[in-house]
Amino acid sequence: MYTQSLDQQGSKTEHAADAETAEQLAAFQKRVDAEEKIEPKDWMPSAYRRTLIRQIAQHAHSEIIGMQPEGNWLTRAPTLRRKSILLAKVQDEAGHGLYLYSAAETLGISRQQMVAELLSGKAKYSSIFNYPTLSWADIGAIGWLVDGAAIMNQIPLCRCSYGPYARAMVRVCKEESFHQRQGYEIMLDLCRGSDAQKEMAQDALNRWWWPSLMMFGPGDAESTHSAQSMAWKIKRFSNDELRQKFVDATVPQAEFLGLRMPDDDLKLDEASGHYNFGEINWQEFYDVLAGNGPCNKQRMRVRRAAQDNGAWVREAAEAYAQKQAAREAA
């Protein structure tokens, strides 16, 4: 979900694959199949390590960049209650990013390198955060749809084979559940309000529905790394399985709100119990992922400015740590 670009070739690390033996690989897979957690000091295939670094780093980047669309409404929330809830949510996203950067660091990559790769454009983040929040209803739609999709993807990650990632996801999922509920509450209040408020909610649904479906990544036929990630139990369900679960759960919620799904092909298949839905515009997905979405440049400009503006804080913290270390050594 937050790791949509994992089908792209990742960079090599210092962990050489040619040092791996068939016996080591078989023993590792046996541990994974037995549902044992892999810990940082355990032996692991270099490809497993690279996949986790890309996935966890991209997840962390998405949490940090994802603060921007909602932060846009912190000063414009309609009530003090809504403002305090939104502020708490944005703070949660920052915390999620920190948990995830810490989990990735256990794999041998530094936080500085991960941040540098994000700022240079080498690393990706979820395409969903490159869309604008045009109205207050968008904040509700993000909570309901975007965080709802996140929960659908992230709950299975609590059983990820890599221990630090799985443990980080337990708290993340608890907080994401709160985020989803507050988003749905916003949509419910709007739909119970005036005609203009309900139209605002419908407009937000129209704009965020399809990008939310894209969050799960390309279809299984196009997802070249999905099968291996599932064999390693990094992920438990395929992209298409998760997308179908999300559609099946979300359509009845929209019906309760009295909103119309923006998909003329959406229809319940009585035989399977699943909803059939229309074709996703994958060209839009790849365009946004390539940096050509409505807000890509803005998101990175703000992130780079924040990095530059916070340099003095990092330098002061480092100087203080060195001073304390010198005192202890004296």
Side-chain angles (χ1 to χ4, degrees):
M1 187 216 68
Y2 284 163
T3 52
Q4 299 161 318
S5 65
L6 288 182
D7 294 311
Q8 300 177 359
Q9 184 64 36
S11 60
K12 295 181 180 179
T13 70
E14 68 276 13
H15 306 283
D18 57 6
E20 298 167 358
T21 67
E23 290 77 11
Q24 285 176 313
L25 294 171
F28 177 82
Q29 189 62 52
K30 184 177 180 180
R31 290 190 62 195
V32 170
D33 292 341
E35 299 290 347
E36 292 183 30
K37 284 288 183 280
I38 307 301
E39 299 298 339
K41 293 184 178 180
D42 294 342
W43 184 90
M44 63 187 75
S46 59
Y48 177 84
R49 186 185 301 271
R50 288 196 303 271
T51 297
L52 279 168
I53 288 174
R54 291 200 306 274
Q55 176 164 336
I56 300 173
Q58 186 176 327
H59 191 166
H61 299 328
S62 298
E63 298 284 358
I64 298 301
I65 297 293
M67 297 164 64
Q68 292 186 40
E70 293 174 305
N72 181 45
W73 280 87
L74 281 174
T75 60
R76 297 183 288 166
T79 67
L80 183 59
R81 175 177 177 269
R82 290 297 184 193
K83 181 178 291 189
S84 63
I85 292 173
L86 184 58
L87 180 59
K89 182 184 178 188
V90 173
Q91 290 175 321
D92 283 348
E93 306 296 0
H96 297 172
L98 295 179
Y99 305 153
L100 293 163
Y101 281 134
S102 296
E105 285 177 312
T106 66
L107 292 158
I109 187 173
S110 70
R111 190 169 309 193
Q112 290 81 358
Q113 181 180 343
M114 287 184 280
V115 172
E117 290 179 353
L118 171 65
L119 298 179
S120 70
K122 180 180 179 181
K124 303 295 184 183
Y125 57 89
S126 179
S127 63
I128 194 71
F129 299 119
N130 290 312
Y131 291 87
T133 45
L134 304 179
S135 73
W136 174 248
D138 286 35
I139 303 303
I142 288 175
W144 172 35
L145 300 175
V146 176
D147 294 324
I151 293 168
M152 195 65 66
N153 184 71
Q154 292 172 6
I155 286 178
L157 289 176
C158 295
R159 297 187 291 124
C160 171
S161 60
Y162 188 59
Y165 193 22
R167 290 189 288 273
M169 292 313 303
V170 172
R171 179 167 180 174
V172 170
C173 286
K174 289 179 180 179
E175 293 175 348
E176 291 289 0
S177 294
F178 154 73
H179 300 170
Q180 196 272 345
R181 287 196 296 273
Q182 68 86 31
Y184 193 74
E185 183 190 39
I186 291 173
M187 298 296 280
L188 184 61
D189 284 351
L190 290 172
C191 290
R192 289 174 172 173
S194 66
D195 290 344
Q197 288 174 317
K198 187 167 185 178
E199 288 175 8
M200 185 190 301
Q202 181 67 61
D203 176 65
L205 172 59
N206 293 346
R207 286 183 288 106
W208 287 94
W209 174 246
W210 292 105
S212 295
L213 294 188
M214 297 175 195
M215 286 177 65
F216 296 96
D220 294 346
E222 304 297 326
S223 185
T224 56
H225 290 285
S226 185
Q228 183 60 74
S229 290
M230 291 178 68
W232 281 331
K233 299 187 187 298
I234 294 174
K235 61 189 295 184
R236 298 284 176 155
F237 300 97
S238 72
N239 294 351
D240 285 338
E241 287 175 326
L242 290 168
R243 191 170 9 251
Q244 186 65 63
K245 285 174 177 284
F246 174 69
V247 172
D248 291 344
T250 307
V251 171
Q253 295 171 355
E255 291 174 348
F256 182 81
L257 292 174
L259 298 178
R260 179 183 177 278
M261 301 301 288
D263 181 358
D264 292 335
D265 295 324
L266 186 69
K267 185 178 181 181
L268 178 64
D269 183 338
E270 298 289 351
S272 67
H274 297 301
Y275 284 91
N276 296 325
F277 52 93
E279 185 67 25
I280 296 172
N281 183 355
W282 289 114
Q283 187 57 54
E284 176 185 335
F285 168 78
Y286 287 115
D287 285 345
V288 175
L289 204 61
N292 300 315
C295 297
N296 292 66
K297 293 181 176 60
Q298 176 187 341
R299 299 288 183 249
M300 291 310 303
R301 184 171 62 250
V302 170
R303 187 66 244 154
R304 292 187 185 104
Q307 183 73 6
D308 292 342
N309 293 337
W312 70 272
V313 178
R314 296 190 299 276
E315 292 167 1
E318 184 176 355
Y320 178 78
Q322 291 174 351
K323 184 177 180 179
Q324 291 297 103
R327 284 179 177 176
E328 292 175 2

